[in-house]
Amino acid sequence: MTLKDPICAIATPLGKGAIGVVRLSGEGALEVASRVWRGKDPRKLKGGRFTLGEVVDPETGEVLDQALLLVFRAPRSYTGEDACEFHTHGSMAVLRRVLEALVKAGARLAGPGEFTFRAYMNGKLDLAQAEAVLALVEAEGDLARRQALRSLEGSFSRKIAALEDRLLSLLAHIQALLDYPEEGVEPLEARRVIGEVLEEVEALLAQARSSRLAQRGARLALIGAPNAGKSSLLNALLGYERALVSPIPGTTRDYLEAPLELFGIPLVAVDTAGIRDTLDPLERAGVERALRIAEEADLVLYVADRSAPRPSLPPLPPRTLKAATKADLPPLWEDAEFIPVSSVTGEGLGQLKEAIREAFLGRGEGEYLLSERQIEALHQARERLLEAKNLPEDLMGLALEEALKALASLRGRKEVSEEVVARVFQNFCVGK
C-alpha cells in the first residue's frame, strides 16, 4: 500500500437511498474513472464540474447505472489528490457493482479513514481537524455538530497555534538570557506569560465535560411517588405522547426509555415506577429498579404533585433537580427548591429545561468538541506548565519544551508518533 495509488470506497451509509456516492482518489484516479465511464472523458473535465453519463463494467461493457460524475483536480480536493465521486442510485446492488468496476479498472479498496488520512498527510487537514471530521460524522446531537464544526474549520487549531507561538517566543527569550547575558537582554516576566498560557489550557480542559456529554449523551431519570405526573412530564418534555398516563396509582411498574435532545445534548429520558411502600412483589421490584436507575443516572429529576399532600422525599443523589407538577391547579404546598411546572399548559417547562441544561453544562456549552487524546495532551501541557512556573528562569526551558511538544501534538506536529496517528484514524468508517 502506498499513499498515492488510487483508492475507492462507498461513501454513503449502507442501505437503500435515493442517491449513493462512491469515492475514488489518488494518482491516476481520473484514468481509472475513464475506464468505467461512458460519457465525457473524466481526464478532460475541469474540477468542480458534474457530468451525466453511465457507469460500465470495464471488462464486459455492461451498463451498471446512470450516474453523475463529479471531478476534483489536485490540490483542490478533500485529499489533495486528483479525485472523483460517482453519484449513483442508492441501492447496495448498484453501489457494490460500481465499486467492483473501479477495482477491475485498477483501483484498490480504501482502508478505514484512508481518505482523511491522505488529507492529513497532504496537508489539507491537521490532526485536530481530522479528529473533528470523525466527530462530525458521529455527532448525534446539535451540540456535538456545532463544536466539531468549529474544530473542522480550524478555530481550535488556531488557538493552539497561538499558544505554541507564545511558548516559542518565551523559550527563545530565555535562551537568549542564558547564552548572551552580556548583550543586555531585558528579563522577561516568564511566570506571567506561563500563567496566561496556563489559563488558556485550563479553560480548554474545562470543556472536557461538555465534550463527553455531546459525544456520549446522558441519562435523565424521572422518579417520584405514584401519580406524581412523571409520565405526563416526560411526554411534555418529548413533545409527543410516549408514556401511558393513567390516574390509577402504580400504572408504571417497569421503566420506559425515550430519546430526547435538549440544547443539542442527546439524552435518554427514563420514566420509572412510582416510589412507595407496597406489598405487591411486582410493583416492589419496579420501585427497587427505579431507585437503582436513579443512582446510575447522570441527572435525576424528582417529581412531586403540588396539588396533593406533599410526599416524604426518599434519599436523593446530589445530582438531582426537583419539579412540582400540576402547576395549573391550586397548590397544597410550596417549596423554593421545586420548579413549578404544568404538563397541561406548558407553564414552567422552559425554566425546567434551562435547569437541566445548566446541570449538565454549567454556564457555557463549550466551544470545542475535545477527543480523549486531546484532553490527555492538554493535561500533559498543563502539568509541564505548572512545573515550569515553579522553577527558576534558567531551569524552565526543559519543562516548557515538553509543554510545547504536548500542545504541538494536538495539531500533529513535533514528533507525533505513528502510534498516535493510527489511534486517531482507527475508528473512521471506510469511505471517509
Side-chain angles (χ1 to χ4, degrees), residues 360-380:
F360 281 124
L361 298 178
R363 296 181 179 179
E365 65 174 37
E367 192 173 0
Y368 305 114
L369 192 69
L370 303 176
S371 69
E372 290 300 323
R373 184 194 77 85
Q374 291 167 342
I375 292 169
E376 180 183 336
L378 288 168
H379 274 299
Q380 291 174 358

Side-chain angles (χ1 to χ4, degrees), residues 58-383:
E59 295 178 352
T60 67
E62 177 191 357
V63 176
L64 305 179
D65 194 19
Q66 290 185 337
L68 290 172
L69 178 67
L70 175 59
V71 168
F72 300 91
R73 293 283 183 174
R76 301 180 66 180
S77 72
Y78 180 70
T79 59
E81 307 167 321
D82 282 344
C84 59
E85 292 178 351
F86 296 85
H87 291 233
T88 70
H89 292 91
S91 78
M92 287 308 301
V94 170
L95 292 169
R96 279 195 294 263
R97 287 299 304 275
V98 172
L99 200 61
E100 289 171 5
L102 290 172
V103 172
K104 288 179 183 179
R108 67 168 174 81
L109 297 178
E114 189 170 356
F115 290 95
T116 303
F117 179 68
R118 289 190 176 194
Y120 164 67
M121 294 301 294
N122 291 330
K124 302 294 289 186
L125 301 170
D126 64 25
L127 207 54
Q129 290 174 301
E131 288 173 290
V133 170
L134 178 60
L136 198 55
V137 169
E138 295 183 340
E140 294 186 5
D142 201 52
L143 175 58
R145 179 196 64 79
R146 292 194 301 269
Q147 292 177 331
L149 188 58
R150 291 189 195 108
S151 291
L152 179 58
E153 291 172 340
S155 176
F156 177 71
S157 297
R158 288 190 294 272
K159 181 178 283 288
I160 296 302
L163 297 180
E164 290 178 53
D165 285 344
R166 297 200 70 182
L167 290 186
L168 278 170
S169 297
L170 179 57
L171 273 168
H173 206 100
I174 289 173
Q175 197 63 44
L177 284 171
L178 295 175
D179 293 347
Y180 308 105
E182 70 282 356
E183 295 297 325
V185 179
E186 291 294 328
L188 188 69
E189 293 181 321
R191 285 179 180 78
R192 177 184 60 79
V193 175
I194 293 171
E196 290 171 355
V197 174
L198 186 58
E199 282 183 13
E200 294 277 358
V201 170
E202 289 177 337
L204 288 170
L205 280 170
Q207 300 180 33
R209 174 173 167 76
S210 73
S211 294
R212 290 177 174 129
L213 277 172
Q215 293 176 92
R216 303 174 186 173
R219 290 175 70 82
L220 171 68
L222 283 72
I223 68 169
N227 269 17
K230 299 184 299 298
S231 298
S232 296
L233 183 55
L234 173 63
N235 290 340
L237 288 170
L238 293 173
Y240 63 90
E241 190 170 329
R242 174 68 177 88
L244 180 65
V245 176
S246 170
I248 303 171
T251 302
T252 304
R253 297 194 171 192
D254 204 349
Y255 68 95
L256 181 150
E257 296 183 347
L260 170 66
E261 184 174 321
L262 286 180
F263 300 96
I265 309 169
L267 303 176
V268 175
V270 189
D271 184 19
T272 62
I275 297 173
R276 66 173 177 178
D277 293 329
T278 176
L279 297 177
D280 185 325
L282 185 59
E283 187 178 355
R284 188 167 63 246
V287 171
E288 291 172 355
R289 178 170 288 179
L291 294 173
R292 186 165 62 250
I293 289 170
E295 187 63 34
E296 295 171 354
D298 297 287
L299 183 66
V300 173
L301 181 57
Y302 180 78
V303 181
D305 179 1
R306 72 172 196 166
S307 70
R310 179 170 180 162
S312 57
L313 273 65
L316 296 172
R319 54 191 185 282
T320 299
L321 295 176
K322 299 173 184 175
T325 58
K326 306 181 185 178
D328 52 308
L329 300 177
L332 291 185
W333 53 272
E334 299 279 0
D335 190 325
E337 291 187 0
F338 284 75
I339 300 170
V341 61
S342 169
S343 302
V344 175
T345 67
E347 177 187 344
L349 273 179
Q351 183 183 355
L352 178 60
K353 289 177 181 179
E354 179 59 30
I356 293 172
R357 185 205 66 77
E358 189 170 333
F360 281 124
L361 298 178
R363 296 181 179 179
E365 65 174 37
E367 192 173 0
Y368 305 114
L369 192 69
L370 303 176
S371 69
E372 290 300 323
R373 184 194 77 85
Q374 291 167 342
I375 292 169
E376 180 183 336
L378 288 168
H379 274 299
Q380 291 174 358
R382 178 181 179 275
E383 293 304 312

